[in-house]
Amino acid sequence: QYLSPSTQKGAKLFSISGDQEEVKSLAKAMDTNLSVVTLETQDVHVIASLLRLWLIQLPEPLLTYSKYNDIVTACKAEDQGKALSAIFATLPRSNWITTQRLLKFLSVMISKDSSMTPIIAVAFGPAMLRPKRREGQLRSLLEDLPLITDSIECILANVDKAFAKDNEPAEEEPQIWGGVEQQEEAE
């Protein structure tokens, strides 16, 4: 609601970064006590930057490391939407739902201003889709950026077919993170 196309007032929402100190402060406040945070008074660019920051800080991109090569290949297929739909049906349900909602929102923005497509692909691409780096690997994210942005543009162009309701993954068992204690027990 805070990032809806009507709140933009003509601004290219994801082409302008929010004040980084405000973003950090808001992120810390949300981590500390979400109930006292009010987004109504925040600059829309700060909220947009906070969304990108959240995506970047996820332990794995929404479209998961294991799907990277499949997605890049699907975007070269004759029926991209069908190929993407088959891949997305194998995502964890929480990833599928979050990605579907985010991409539908972004596609609405693009429908109002198609010049936003490359901006959105660059702003969100590496946060949503990237290959897993292995230690000692020389390839950098910059080398993969053209494939990533092309793939995100492809997904955005096929979002309705790629996220058809009939390919939504089944419910999954909730995973509860027990924090440090659980991690220590696993070791």
Short mmCIF file of all heavy atoms in Angstrom, two decimals, residues 50-117:
data_model
loop_
_atom_site.label_atom_id
_atom_site.label_comp_id
_atom_site.label_asym_id
_atom_site.label_seq_id
_atom_site.Cartn_x
_atom_site.Cartn_y
_atom_site.Cartn_z
N LEU A 50 14.02 0.02 1.60
CA LEU A 50 13.89 -0.97 2.68
C LEU A 50 13.45 -2.32 2.12
O LEU A 50 13.95 -3.36 2.53
CB LEU A 50 12.90 -0.46 3.73
CG LEU A 50 12.73 -1.33 4.97
CD1 LEU A 50 14.03 -1.42 5.76
CD2 LEU A 50 11.61 -0.78 5.84
N LEU A 51 12.53 -2.30 1.17
CA LEU A 51 12.09 -3.55 0.52
C LEU A 51 13.27 -4.23 -0.18
O LEU A 51 13.49 -5.43 -0.01
CB LEU A 51 10.97 -3.27 -0.49
CG LEU A 51 10.53 -4.44 -1.36
CD1 LEU A 51 10.00 -5.60 -0.52
CD2 LEU A 51 9.51 -3.98 -2.38
N ARG A 52 14.03 -3.47 -0.92
CA ARG A 52 15.21 -4.05 -1.60
C ARG A 52 16.21 -4.58 -0.59
O ARG A 52 16.79 -5.65 -0.77
CB ARG A 52 15.86 -3.02 -2.52
CG ARG A 52 15.09 -2.77 -3.79
CD ARG A 52 15.90 -2.00 -4.81
NE ARG A 52 16.55 -0.84 -4.24
CZ ARG A 52 16.24 0.42 -4.50
NH1 ARG A 52 15.28 0.70 -5.35
NH2 ARG A 52 16.88 1.41 -3.94
N LEU A 53 16.44 -3.83 0.49
CA LEU A 53 17.37 -4.27 1.53
C LEU A 53 16.92 -5.60 2.13
O LEU A 53 17.74 -6.52 2.31
CB LEU A 53 17.49 -3.20 2.63
CG LEU A 53 18.38 -3.56 3.81
CD1 LEU A 53 19.84 -3.72 3.36
CD2 LEU A 53 18.27 -2.48 4.90
N TRP A 54 15.64 -5.73 2.41
CA TRP A 54 15.12 -6.98 2.96
C TRP A 54 15.40 -8.15 2.01
O TRP A 54 15.86 -9.21 2.43
CB TRP A 54 13.61 -6.86 3.23
CG TRP A 54 13.01 -8.15 3.70
CD1 TRP A 54 13.13 -8.71 4.93
CD2 TRP A 54 12.21 -9.04 2.92
NE1 TRP A 54 12.44 -9.91 4.96
CE2 TRP A 54 11.87 -10.14 3.74
CE3 TRP A 54 11.75 -9.03 1.60
CZ2 TRP A 54 11.10 -11.20 3.30
CZ3 TRP A 54 10.97 -10.09 1.17
CH2 TRP A 54 10.66 -11.16 2.01
N LEU A 55 15.14 -7.94 0.72
CA LEU A 55 15.39 -9.00 -0.27
C LEU A 55 16.87 -9.37 -0.33
O LEU A 55 17.22 -10.54 -0.41
CB LEU A 55 14.90 -8.56 -1.64
CG LEU A 55 13.39 -8.48 -1.83
CD1 LEU A 55 13.05 -7.77 -3.13
CD2 LEU A 55 12.77 -9.86 -1.78
N ILE A 56 17.72 -8.37 -0.30
CA ILE A 56 19.17 -8.61 -0.38
C ILE A 56 19.66 -9.38 0.83
O ILE A 56 20.55 -10.22 0.73
CB ILE A 56 19.93 -7.27 -0.54
CG1 ILE A 56 19.67 -6.69 -1.92
CG2 ILE A 56 21.42 -7.43 -0.27
CD1 ILE A 56 20.07 -5.23 -2.07
N GLN A 57 19.07 -9.13 1.99
CA GLN A 57 19.53 -9.75 3.23
C GLN A 57 18.98 -11.16 3.45
O GLN A 57 19.40 -11.83 4.39
CB GLN A 57 19.20 -8.86 4.42
CG GLN A 57 20.03 -7.61 4.46
CD GLN A 57 19.71 -6.72 5.64
OE1 GLN A 57 18.64 -6.82 6.25
NE2 GLN A 57 20.63 -5.84 5.97
N LEU A 58 18.08 -11.60 2.59
CA LEU A 58 17.60 -12.98 2.72
C LEU A 58 18.78 -13.93 2.57
O LEU A 58 19.69 -13.67 1.77
CB LEU A 58 16.54 -13.29 1.66
CG LEU A 58 15.19 -12.60 1.82
CD1 LEU A 58 14.32 -12.88 0.60
CD2 LEU A 58 14.50 -13.04 3.10
N PRO A 59 18.79 -15.06 3.28
CA PRO A 59 19.93 -15.98 3.16
C PRO A 59 20.06 -16.60 1.77
O PRO A 59 21.15 -17.03 1.38
CB PRO A 59 19.63 -17.05 4.21
CG PRO A 59 18.22 -16.86 4.62
CD PRO A 59 17.81 -15.47 4.26
N GLU A 60 18.97 -16.62 1.04
CA GLU A 60 18.98 -17.15 -0.33
C GLU A 60 17.99 -16.31 -1.13
O GLU A 60 16.97 -15.88 -0.60
CB GLU A 60 18.54 -18.62 -0.33
CG GLU A 60 18.62 -19.26 -1.69
CD GLU A 60 18.47 -20.79 -1.64
OE1 GLU A 60 18.04 -21.34 -0.61
OE2 GLU A 60 18.80 -21.41 -2.65
N PRO A 61 18.28 -16.06 -2.42
CA PRO A 61 17.33 -15.26 -3.20
C PRO A 61 15.97 -15.95 -3.29
O PRO A 61 15.86 -17.17 -3.16
CB PRO A 61 17.99 -15.15 -4.57
CG PRO A 61 19.06 -16.18 -4.62
CD PRO A 61 19.42 -16.52 -3.21
N LEU A 62 14.93 -15.15 -3.51
CA LEU A 62 13.57 -15.70 -3.61
C LEU A 62 13.46 -16.81 -4.65
O LEU A 62 12.74 -17.78 -4.46
CB LEU A 62 12.57 -14.60 -3.96
CG LEU A 62 12.19 -13.64 -2.84
CD1 LEU A 62 11.27 -12.55 -3.35
CD2 LEU A 62 11.55 -14.39 -1.68
N LEU A 63 14.16 -16.65 -5.76
CA LEU A 63 14.09 -17.66 -6.82
C LEU A 63 15.15 -18.74 -6.65
O LEU A 63 15.41 -19.51 -7.56
CB LEU A 63 14.18 -16.98 -8.20
CG LEU A 63 13.00 -16.05 -8.50
CD1 LEU A 63 13.22 -15.29 -9.79
CD2 LEU A 63 11.69 -16.82 -8.54
N THR A 64 15.72 -18.85 -5.53
CA THR A 64 16.68 -19.85 -5.05
C THR A 64 17.87 -20.09 -5.98
O THR A 64 17.74 -20.03 -7.20
CB THR A 64 16.01 -21.20 -4.70
OG1 THR A 64 15.61 -21.88 -5.87
CG2 THR A 64 14.85 -21.03 -3.75
N TYR A 65 18.98 -20.36 -5.33
CA TYR A 65 20.22 -20.62 -6.08
C TYR A 65 20.05 -21.80 -7.05
O TYR A 65 20.52 -21.76 -8.18
CB TYR A 65 21.37 -20.96 -5.13
CG TYR A 65 21.81 -19.83 -4.25
CD1 TYR A 65 21.85 -19.98 -2.87
CD2 TYR A 65 22.22 -18.61 -4.79
CE1 TYR A 65 22.28 -18.94 -2.05
CE2 TYR A 65 22.64 -17.57 -3.98
CZ TYR A 65 22.67 -17.74 -2.61
OH TYR A 65 23.09 -16.72 -1.81
N SER A 66 19.36 -22.83 -6.59
CA SER A 66 19.26 -24.05 -7.40
C SER A 66 18.45 -23.85 -8.68
O SER A 66 18.56 -24.65 -9.61
CB SER A 66 18.64 -25.19 -6.58
OG SER A 66 17.31 -24.89 -6.24
N LYS A 67 17.66 -22.79 -8.75
CA LYS A 67 16.83 -22.55 -9.94
C LYS A 67 17.48 -21.58 -10.94
O LYS A 67 16.95 -21.38 -12.03
CB LYS A 67 15.46 -21.96 -9.54
CG LYS A 67 14.71 -22.77 -8.51
CD LYS A 67 14.20 -24.06 -9.07
CE LYS A 67 13.36 -24.78 -8.03
NZ LYS A 67 13.77 -26.14 -7.81
N TYR A 68 18.62 -21.02 -10.59
CA TYR A 68 19.24 -19.99 -11.44
C TYR A 68 19.42 -20.45 -12.89
O TYR A 68 18.91 -19.82 -13.81
CB TYR A 68 20.58 -19.55 -10.85
CG TYR A 68 21.31 -18.56 -11.71
CD1 TYR A 68 20.95 -17.21 -11.69
CD2 TYR A 68 22.34 -18.95 -12.55
CE1 TYR A 68 21.60 -16.28 -12.49
CE2 TYR A 68 22.99 -18.03 -13.36
CZ TYR A 68 22.62 -16.70 -13.32
OH TYR A 68 23.26 -15.79 -14.12
N ASN A 69 20.13 -21.53 -13.11
CA ASN A 69 20.40 -21.99 -14.48
C ASN A 69 19.12 -22.38 -15.21
O ASN A 69 18.98 -22.10 -16.41
CB ASN A 69 21.39 -23.17 -14.48
CG ASN A 69 22.79 -22.73 -14.11
OD1 ASN A 69 23.23 -21.62 -14.43
ND2 ASN A 69 23.51 -23.59 -13.41
N ASP A 70 18.18 -23.00 -14.50
CA ASP A 70 16.91 -23.38 -15.11
C ASP A 70 16.13 -22.16 -15.58
O ASP A 70 15.54 -22.16 -16.66
CB ASP A 70 16.05 -24.18 -14.13
CG ASP A 70 16.67 -25.52 -13.76
OD1 ASP A 70 17.50 -26.04 -14.54
OD2 ASP A 70 16.34 -26.03 -12.68
N ILE A 71 16.13 -21.11 -14.77
CA ILE A 71 15.40 -19.88 -15.13
C ILE A 71 16.05 -19.20 -16.32
O ILE A 71 15.36 -18.77 -17.25
CB ILE A 71 15.29 -18.94 -13.91
CG1 ILE A 71 14.35 -19.57 -12.87
CG2 ILE A 71 14.81 -17.55 -14.32
CD1 ILE A 71 14.34 -18.88 -11.53
N VAL A 72 17.37 -19.11 -16.32
CA VAL A 72 18.08 -18.50 -17.45
C VAL A 72 17.76 -19.27 -18.73
O VAL A 72 17.47 -18.69 -19.78
CB VAL A 72 19.60 -18.44 -17.19
CG1 VAL A 72 20.37 -18.06 -18.44
CG2 VAL A 72 19.90 -17.45 -16.05
N THR A 73 17.76 -20.59 -18.65
CA THR A 73 17.43 -21.43 -19.81
C THR A 73 15.97 -21.27 -20.22
O THR A 73 15.66 -21.16 -21.42
CB THR A 73 17.73 -22.92 -19.49
OG1 THR A 73 19.12 -23.03 -19.15
CG2 THR A 73 17.41 -23.81 -20.66
N ALA A 74 15.06 -21.21 -19.24
CA ALA A 74 13.63 -21.06 -19.55
C ALA A 74 13.36 -19.75 -20.29
O ALA A 74 12.45 -19.69 -21.12
CB ALA A 74 12.81 -21.11 -18.27
N CYS A 75 14.13 -18.75 -20.01
CA CYS A 75 13.93 -17.45 -20.67
C CYS A 75 14.41 -17.46 -22.12
O CYS A 75 14.18 -16.50 -22.85
CB CYS A 75 14.60 -16.34 -19.87
SG CYS A 75 13.66 -15.95 -18.37
N LYS A 76 15.01 -18.56 -22.54
CA LYS A 76 15.40 -18.71 -23.94
C LYS A 76 14.46 -19.68 -24.66
O LYS A 76 14.60 -19.91 -25.86
CB LYS A 76 16.84 -19.24 -24.02
CG LYS A 76 17.86 -18.26 -23.44
CD LYS A 76 19.25 -18.86 -23.40
CE LYS A 76 20.21 -17.91 -22.72
NZ LYS A 76 21.50 -18.50 -22.44
N ALA A 77 13.50 -20.23 -23.93
CA ALA A 77 12.58 -21.22 -24.50
C ALA A 77 11.55 -20.55 -25.41
O ALA A 77 11.31 -19.34 -25.32
CB ALA A 77 11.86 -21.97 -23.37
N GLU A 78 10.95 -21.36 -26.26
CA GLU A 78 9.92 -20.84 -27.16
C GLU A 78 8.71 -20.36 -26.37
O GLU A 78 8.17 -19.29 -26.63
CB GLU A 78 9.52 -21.92 -28.17
CG GLU A 78 8.60 -21.40 -29.24
CD GLU A 78 8.37 -22.42 -30.33
OE1 GLU A 78 9.34 -23.08 -30.76
OE2 GLU A 78 7.20 -22.56 -30.75
N ASP A 79 8.25 -21.17 -25.42
CA ASP A 79 7.13 -20.79 -24.56
C ASP A 79 7.69 -20.49 -23.17
O ASP A 79 7.68 -21.34 -22.27
CB ASP A 79 6.08 -21.90 -24.51
CG ASP A 79 4.80 -21.49 -23.79
OD1 ASP A 79 4.82 -20.44 -23.09
OD2 ASP A 79 3.79 -22.20 -23.92
N GLN A 80 8.17 -19.28 -23.01
CA GLN A 80 8.83 -18.89 -21.76
C GLN A 80 7.91 -19.00 -20.56
O GLN A 80 8.33 -19.48 -19.50
CB GLN A 80 9.36 -17.45 -21.88
CG GLN A 80 10.41 -17.29 -22.96
CD GLN A 80 10.72 -15.83 -23.25
OE1 GLN A 80 9.91 -14.94 -23.01
NE2 GLN A 80 11.91 -15.59 -23.78
N GLY A 81 6.68 -18.56 -20.69
CA GLY A 81 5.74 -18.60 -19.57
C GLY A 81 5.52 -20.01 -19.06
O GLY A 81 5.52 -20.25 -17.85
N LYS A 82 5.35 -20.95 -19.98
CA LYS A 82 5.14 -22.35 -19.59
C LYS A 82 6.40 -22.92 -18.93
O LYS A 82 6.31 -23.61 -17.91
CB LYS A 82 4.77 -23.18 -20.82
CG LYS A 82 4.46 -24.62 -20.53
CD LYS A 82 4.05 -25.37 -21.79
CE LYS A 82 3.77 -26.82 -21.48
NZ LYS A 82 3.41 -27.57 -22.69
N ALA A 83 7.56 -22.62 -19.49
CA ALA A 83 8.82 -23.11 -18.93
C ALA A 83 9.05 -22.53 -17.54
O ALA A 83 9.45 -23.25 -16.61
CB ALA A 83 9.99 -22.77 -19.87
N LEU A 84 8.78 -21.24 -17.37
CA LEU A 84 8.95 -20.61 -16.06
C LEU A 84 7.95 -21.17 -15.06
O LEU A 84 8.29 -21.43 -13.90
CB LEU A 84 8.79 -19.09 -16.18
CG LEU A 84 9.94 -18.37 -16.87
CD1 LEU A 84 9.54 -16.93 -17.21
CD2 LEU A 84 11.20 -18.40 -16.02
N SER A 85 6.72 -21.38 -15.50
CA SER A 85 5.68 -21.92 -14.62
C SER A 85 6.10 -23.27 -14.04
O SER A 85 5.91 -23.53 -12.85
CB SER A 85 4.37 -22.04 -15.38
OG SER A 85 3.37 -22.55 -14.55
N ALA A 86 6.67 -24.12 -14.88
CA ALA A 86 7.12 -25.44 -14.42
C ALA A 86 8.21 -25.32 -13.36
O ALA A 86 8.24 -26.08 -12.39
CB ALA A 86 7.61 -26.26 -15.61
N ILE A 87 9.10 -24.36 -13.54
CA ILE A 87 10.18 -24.16 -12.56
C ILE A 87 9.62 -23.58 -11.27
O ILE A 87 9.93 -24.04 -10.17
CB ILE A 87 11.27 -23.23 -13.14
CG1 ILE A 87 11.95 -23.89 -14.33
CG2 ILE A 87 12.29 -22.84 -12.06
CD1 ILE A 87 12.76 -22.93 -15.18
N PHE A 88 8.78 -22.56 -11.39
CA PHE A 88 8.25 -21.90 -10.21
C PHE A 88 7.37 -22.82 -9.37
O PHE A 88 7.28 -22.65 -8.15
CB PHE A 88 7.49 -20.63 -10.59
CG PHE A 88 8.37 -19.57 -11.20
CD1 PHE A 88 7.81 -18.55 -11.94
CD2 PHE A 88 9.74 -19.59 -11.05
CE1 PHE A 88 8.60 -17.56 -12.50
CE2 PHE A 88 10.56 -18.61 -11.61
CZ PHE A 88 9.98 -17.59 -12.34
N ALA A 89 6.74 -23.80 -10.00
CA ALA A 89 5.91 -24.76 -9.26
C ALA A 89 6.75 -25.59 -8.29
O ALA A 89 6.22 -26.17 -7.35
CB ALA A 89 5.18 -25.68 -10.23
N THR A 90 8.07 -25.63 -8.49
CA THR A 90 8.95 -26.40 -7.62
C THR A 90 9.60 -25.54 -6.53
O THR A 90 10.37 -26.05 -5.73
CB THR A 90 10.05 -27.12 -8.43
OG1 THR A 90 10.90 -26.14 -9.03
CG2 THR A 90 9.44 -28.02 -9.49
N LEU A 91 9.28 -24.25 -6.51
CA LEU A 91 9.80 -23.37 -5.46
C LEU A 91 9.14 -23.70 -4.12
O LEU A 91 8.00 -24.18 -4.10
CB LEU A 91 9.50 -21.91 -5.78
CG LEU A 91 10.33 -21.22 -6.84
CD1 LEU A 91 9.72 -19.86 -7.18
CD2 LEU A 91 11.77 -21.05 -6.40
N PRO A 92 9.83 -23.42 -3.02
CA PRO A 92 9.12 -23.51 -1.74
C PRO A 92 7.90 -22.57 -1.80
O PRO A 92 7.97 -21.49 -2.40
CB PRO A 92 10.15 -23.01 -0.73
CG PRO A 92 11.48 -23.22 -1.40
CD PRO A 92 11.22 -23.04 -2.87
N ARG A 93 6.81 -22.98 -1.18
CA ARG A 93 5.56 -22.22 -1.29
C ARG A 93 5.72 -20.77 -0.83
O ARG A 93 5.19 -19.86 -1.46
CB ARG A 93 4.46 -22.90 -0.48
CG ARG A 93 3.09 -22.29 -0.71
CD ARG A 93 1.99 -23.18 -0.14
NE ARG A 93 0.70 -22.75 -0.63
CZ ARG A 93 -0.04 -21.81 -0.06
NH1 ARG A 93 0.41 -21.20 1.01
NH2 ARG A 93 -1.21 -21.48 -0.57
N SER A 94 6.45 -20.54 0.24
CA SER A 94 6.63 -19.18 0.74
C SER A 94 7.39 -18.33 -0.29
O SER A 94 7.07 -17.15 -0.47
CB SER A 94 7.35 -19.17 2.09
OG SER A 94 8.57 -19.86 2.00
N ASN A 95 8.35 -18.91 -0.97
CA ASN A 95 9.08 -18.19 -2.03
C ASN A 95 8.15 -17.89 -3.19
O ASN A 95 8.17 -16.80 -3.76
CB ASN A 95 10.27 -19.01 -2.53
CG ASN A 95 11.37 -19.12 -1.51
OD1 ASN A 95 11.13 -19.49 -0.37
ND2 ASN A 95 12.58 -18.83 -1.91
N TRP A 96 7.33 -18.89 -3.57
CA TRP A 96 6.40 -18.72 -4.68
C TRP A 96 5.43 -17.57 -4.40
O TRP A 96 5.25 -16.69 -5.23
CB TRP A 96 5.62 -20.01 -4.93
CG TRP A 96 4.80 -20.02 -6.18
CD1 TRP A 96 5.17 -20.50 -7.40
CD2 TRP A 96 3.45 -19.54 -6.33
NE1 TRP A 96 4.14 -20.35 -8.30
CE2 TRP A 96 3.08 -19.76 -7.68
CE3 TRP A 96 2.53 -18.96 -5.47
CZ2 TRP A 96 1.82 -19.40 -8.17
CZ3 TRP A 96 1.27 -18.61 -5.97
CH2 TRP A 96 0.94 -18.83 -7.31
N ILE A 97 4.84 -17.56 -3.22
CA ILE A 97 3.85 -16.54 -2.88
C ILE A 97 4.50 -15.15 -2.83
O ILE A 97 3.98 -14.19 -3.40
CB ILE A 97 3.16 -16.87 -1.53
CG1 ILE A 97 2.27 -18.10 -1.71
CG2 ILE A 97 2.37 -15.68 -1.01
CD1 ILE A 97 1.75 -18.67 -0.41
N THR A 98 5.63 -15.04 -2.16
CA THR A 98 6.31 -13.74 -2.06
C THR A 98 6.73 -13.24 -3.42
O THR A 98 6.51 -12.06 -3.76
CB THR A 98 7.53 -13.85 -1.12
OG1 THR A 98 7.10 -14.38 0.14
CG2 THR A 98 8.19 -12.50 -0.91
N THR A 99 7.33 -14.10 -4.22
CA THR A 99 7.78 -13.71 -5.56
C THR A 99 6.61 -13.33 -6.44
O THR A 99 6.65 -12.31 -7.14
CB THR A 99 8.59 -14.85 -6.21
OG1 THR A 99 9.68 -15.19 -5.36
CG2 THR A 99 9.13 -14.44 -7.56
N GLN A 100 5.55 -14.12 -6.39
CA GLN A 100 4.37 -13.84 -7.21
C GLN A 100 3.79 -12.48 -6.87
O GLN A 100 3.49 -11.67 -7.74
CB GLN A 100 3.34 -14.96 -7.02
CG GLN A 100 2.12 -14.83 -7.88
CD GLN A 100 0.90 -14.30 -7.15
OE1 GLN A 100 0.95 -13.99 -5.97
NE2 GLN A 100 -0.19 -14.21 -7.87
N ARG A 101 3.64 -12.19 -5.60
CA ARG A 101 3.06 -10.90 -5.19
C ARG A 101 3.96 -9.74 -5.55
O ARG A 101 3.49 -8.70 -6.02
CB ARG A 101 2.74 -10.93 -3.70
CG ARG A 101 1.57 -11.84 -3.42
CD ARG A 101 1.17 -11.85 -1.99
NE ARG A 101 0.05 -12.78 -1.81
CZ ARG A 101 -0.34 -13.24 -0.66
NH1 ARG A 101 0.26 -12.86 0.44
NH2 ARG A 101 -1.35 -14.08 -0.59
N LEU A 102 5.25 -9.90 -5.33
CA LEU A 102 6.19 -8.83 -5.66
C LEU A 102 6.19 -8.57 -7.17
O LEU A 102 6.11 -7.42 -7.62
CB LEU A 102 7.59 -9.19 -5.18
CG LEU A 102 8.70 -8.21 -5.56
CD1 LEU A 102 8.44 -6.83 -4.97
CD2 LEU A 102 10.06 -8.76 -5.11
N LEU A 103 6.26 -9.63 -7.96
CA LEU A 103 6.32 -9.46 -9.42
C LEU A 103 5.00 -8.92 -9.98
O LEU A 103 5.02 -8.14 -10.94
CB LEU A 103 6.72 -10.76 -10.10
CG LEU A 103 8.18 -11.16 -9.87
CD1 LEU A 103 8.44 -12.55 -10.41
CD2 LEU A 103 9.13 -10.16 -10.48
N LYS A 104 3.89 -9.32 -9.41
CA LYS A 104 2.61 -8.75 -9.88
C LYS A 104 2.56 -7.25 -9.58
O LYS A 104 2.13 -6.46 -10.41
CB LYS A 104 1.43 -9.46 -9.23
CG LYS A 104 1.29 -10.89 -9.72
CD LYS A 104 -0.03 -11.12 -10.35
CE LYS A 104 -0.08 -12.57 -10.82
NZ LYS A 104 -1.15 -12.84 -11.70
N PHE A 105 3.03 -6.85 -8.41
CA PHE A 105 3.11 -5.44 -8.06
C PHE A 105 4.02 -4.70 -9.04
O PHE A 105 3.66 -3.64 -9.58
CB PHE A 105 3.62 -5.27 -6.63
CG PHE A 105 4.10 -3.89 -6.31
CD1 PHE A 105 3.21 -2.84 -6.17
CD2 PHE A 105 5.45 -3.63 -6.15
CE1 PHE A 105 3.65 -1.55 -5.89
CE2 PHE A 105 5.90 -2.36 -5.88
CZ PHE A 105 5.00 -1.32 -5.74
N LEU A 106 5.19 -5.27 -9.31
CA LEU A 106 6.14 -4.62 -10.22
C LEU A 106 5.58 -4.56 -11.64
O LEU A 106 5.78 -3.57 -12.34
CB LEU A 106 7.48 -5.35 -10.20
CG LEU A 106 8.23 -5.29 -8.86
CD1 LEU A 106 9.47 -6.17 -8.91
CD2 LEU A 106 8.58 -3.86 -8.48
N SER A 107 4.84 -5.58 -12.05
CA SER A 107 4.27 -5.56 -13.41
C SER A 107 3.18 -4.50 -13.53
O SER A 107 3.00 -3.92 -14.61
CB SER A 107 3.77 -6.94 -13.83
OG SER A 107 2.67 -7.34 -13.06
N VAL A 108 2.46 -4.22 -12.45
CA VAL A 108 1.48 -3.12 -12.48
C VAL A 108 2.21 -1.80 -12.68
O VAL A 108 1.78 -0.95 -13.46
CB VAL A 108 0.62 -3.10 -11.18
CG1 VAL A 108 -0.16 -1.81 -11.06
CG2 VAL A 108 -0.30 -4.30 -11.15
N MET A 109 3.32 -1.63 -12.00
CA MET A 109 4.11 -0.41 -12.17
C MET A 109 4.60 -0.27 -13.61
O MET A 109 4.54 0.81 -14.19
CB MET A 109 5.29 -0.40 -11.21
CG MET A 109 4.90 -0.30 -9.77
SD MET A 109 6.32 -0.14 -8.72
CE MET A 109 6.90 1.45 -9.23
N ILE A 110 5.05 -1.38 -14.16
CA ILE A 110 5.55 -1.36 -15.54
C ILE A 110 4.42 -1.06 -16.52
O ILE A 110 4.63 -0.37 -17.52
CB ILE A 110 6.26 -2.70 -15.87
CG1 ILE A 110 7.58 -2.78 -15.10
CG2 ILE A 110 6.49 -2.85 -17.36
CD1 ILE A 110 8.22 -4.14 -15.13
N SER A 111 3.23 -1.56 -16.24
CA SER A 111 2.10 -1.30 -17.14
C SER A 111 1.77 0.19 -17.20
O SER A 111 1.24 0.66 -18.19
CB SER A 111 0.86 -2.11 -16.73
OG SER A 111 0.29 -1.58 -15.55
N LYS A 112 2.09 0.93 -16.17
CA LYS A 112 1.85 2.37 -16.14
C LYS A 112 2.99 3.16 -16.79
O LYS A 112 2.80 4.29 -17.21
CB LYS A 112 1.63 2.83 -14.72
CG LYS A 112 0.40 2.18 -14.10
CD LYS A 112 0.02 2.80 -12.79
CE LYS A 112 -1.16 2.14 -12.15
NZ LYS A 112 -2.34 1.96 -12.93
N ASP A 113 4.19 2.54 -16.83
CA ASP A 113 5.35 3.20 -17.42
C ASP A 113 6.36 2.13 -17.83
O ASP A 113 7.15 1.66 -17.02
CB ASP A 113 5.99 4.17 -16.41
CG ASP A 113 7.18 4.93 -16.95
OD1 ASP A 113 7.57 4.70 -18.12
OD2 ASP A 113 7.73 5.76 -16.21
N SER A 114 6.31 1.74 -19.10
CA SER A 114 7.16 0.63 -19.57
C SER A 114 8.65 0.95 -19.50
O SER A 114 9.48 0.04 -19.52
CB SER A 114 6.77 0.22 -20.99
OG SER A 114 6.98 1.30 -21.88
N SER A 115 9.00 2.23 -19.40
CA SER A 115 10.43 2.57 -19.28
C SER A 115 11.00 2.12 -17.93
O SER A 115 12.21 2.12 -17.73
CB SER A 115 10.66 4.07 -19.47
OG SER A 115 10.13 4.80 -18.37
N MET A 116 10.11 1.70 -17.01
CA MET A 116 10.55 1.21 -15.70
C MET A 116 11.12 -0.21 -15.76
O MET A 116 11.80 -0.64 -14.84
CB MET A 116 9.37 1.22 -14.72
CG MET A 116 8.92 2.59 -14.27
SD MET A 116 10.12 3.40 -13.21
CE MET A 116 10.08 2.35 -11.76
N THR A 117 10.84 -0.95 -16.82
CA THR A 117 11.25 -2.36 -16.89
C THR A 117 12.74 -2.56 -16.62
O THR A 117 13.10 -3.33 -15.73
CB THR A 117 10.83 -3.00 -18.23
OG1 THR A 117 9.42 -2.83 -18.39
CG2 THR A 117 11.18 -4.47 -18.27
#
